[in-house]
Amino acid sequence: MEMNMYHSSTGKNDYRALPFRIYRQHVIDILNSVYKEGAMENFASCSNLPQFEDKFEPPLVKDTYYMDKCQFDESGFPNHAQEGFYKIEVIGYGEVDWTMILVFKLDADV
């Protein structure tokens, strides 16, 4: 997998690439690093994404994974982020190549 991140102040077709990215690596390595350190706790109450104590042990179960109304706290994320729209592009490689695009708006008024 790999991940690219973009920002737009309007949410239209003016997204600009950000330097934050995850270079292509095995999904298990991502689960044991970026996911565990920055996102796993936030997904615990709003998804069926894997939860684990020490290290994720394969296999990753074939399933339909969901995220429903997830809200993130600040832990594991940068201390400062510009308001606006963010687009995260996750690309998977393997027997089937796939792309998932997540778009969200960051508001300081919340």
Side-chain angles (χ1 to χ4, degrees):
M1 285 179 53
E2 69 180 275
M3 186 196 80
N4 301 301
M5 191 171 200
Y6 306 88
H7 177 264
S8 165
S9 58
T10 66
K12 303 211 186 308
N13 287 331
D14 60 345
Y15 284 92
R16 297 187 191 278
L18 296 173
F20 179 74
R21 65 177 302 175
I22 298 171
Y23 291 96
R24 188 173 175 169
Q25 58 185 294
H26 197 279
V27 67
I28 302 303
D29 294 331
I30 292 172
L31 286 171
N32 283 317
S33 60
V34 178
Y35 172 74
K36 182 178 179 186
E37 295 164 13
M40 184 171 72
E41 188 175 315
N42 287 299
F43 287 122
S45 65
C46 64
S47 78
N48 64 337
L49 293 171
Q51 298 289 311
F52 51 92
E53 292 282 326
D54 185 31
K55 280 186 101 174
F56 180 82
E57 295 296 331
L60 180 59
V61 177
K62 183 177 180 178
D63 198 353
T64 299
Y65 292 98
Y66 67 85
M67 296 175 280
D68 185 28
K69 299 177 184 156
C70 295
Q71 294 185 0
F72 294 86
D73 66 22
E74 298 172 5
S75 61
F77 292 96
N79 291 338
H80 176 75
Q82 188 177 8
E83 287 186 30
F85 293 84
Y86 287 84
K87 179 168 60 171
I88 299 174
E89 175 185 59
V90 182
I91 304 165
Y93 304 94
E95 288 183 34
V96 175
D97 292 345
W98 55 270
T99 302
M100 175 176 61
I101 297 176
L102 305 164
V103 177
F104 63 92
K105 183 179 182 189
L106 181 65
D107 252 335
D109 297 333
V110 178

